[in-house]
Amino acid sequence: MIQGAAVRPAERLSLLLISRSFGRLGALSSWDGTRSMQFSETDLARTIIDNALDYAIFTMNADGTITSWSPGAERITGLSAAEAVGENGSILFIEPDRAAGLDRMEREKALASGRAEDSRWHMRRDGRRFWANGVTMRTDADEEPALIKIIRDE
């Protein structure tokens, strides 16, 4: 509790306390420390991904094949999940960047160091370019290493 703050129950502000110590999220707790609801890590992640419409969030396996595609990714790129899943993530790279191997280098850097940031042109379904900032991160949630990419159309 914040020292000197008087908090009435009706005015409690909720904080999300994340605990990864047991691979689960903690509780949604209020300023006075009472617990209100529990969220599983999966439920919270799905809620964030489904509602972060200003961000393209997708996963890829280590070779770059897209394995999941968010509603925000569809909104930003114009590609539906049915069109994107199973394709290589290089579909978002403009041709000169693909020819230079930047898609491969980004994946390799993220797999080796845990993350790779980028600010560059990306490609929409209709062929138009858009400038985006993003990060590709390694995750070892499953047996095989995988990648999560998050980009924002600037």
Side-chain angles (χ1 to χ4, degrees), residues 89-108:
S90 65
I91 61 173
L92 298 177
F93 283 71
I94 62 172
E95 185 53 43
D97 289 351
R98 277 193 301 247
L102 294 182
D103 54 333
R104 179 186 46 77
M105 288 187 281
E106 184 176 289
R107 281 194 320 275
E108 289 173 356

Side-chain angles (χ1 to χ4, degrees), residues 48-145:
I48 292 168
I49 291 167
D50 287 347
N51 289 285
L53 299 179
D54 292 335
Y55 296 87
I57 304 170
F58 58 97
T59 57
M60 298 177 284
N61 61 22
D63 73 2
T65 302
I66 296 170
T67 55
S68 71
W69 195 251
S70 73
E74 183 170 347
R75 188 185 76 70
I76 290 170
T77 68
L79 291 163
S80 69
E83 293 169 305
V85 172
E87 294 293 326
N88 194 282
S90 65
I91 61 173
L92 298 177
F93 283 71
I94 62 172
E95 185 53 43
D97 289 351
R98 277 193 301 247
L102 294 182
D103 54 333
R104 179 186 46 77
M105 288 187 281
E106 184 176 289
R107 281 194 320 275
E108 289 173 356
K109 181 177 180 183
L111 288 166
S113 69
R115 65 186 287 127
E117 295 182 21
D118 70 346
S119 291
R120 62 172 178 75
W121 290 108
H122 290 72
M123 188 69 67
R124 295 189 203 279
R125 180 179 186 261
D126 63 8
R128 289 182 300 136
R129 294 178 177 198
F130 66 102
W131 186 262
N133 296 308
V135 62
T136 302
M137 299 167 288
R138 179 187 170 127
T139 177
D140 295 322
D142 294 321
E143 297 294 316
E144 298 293 320

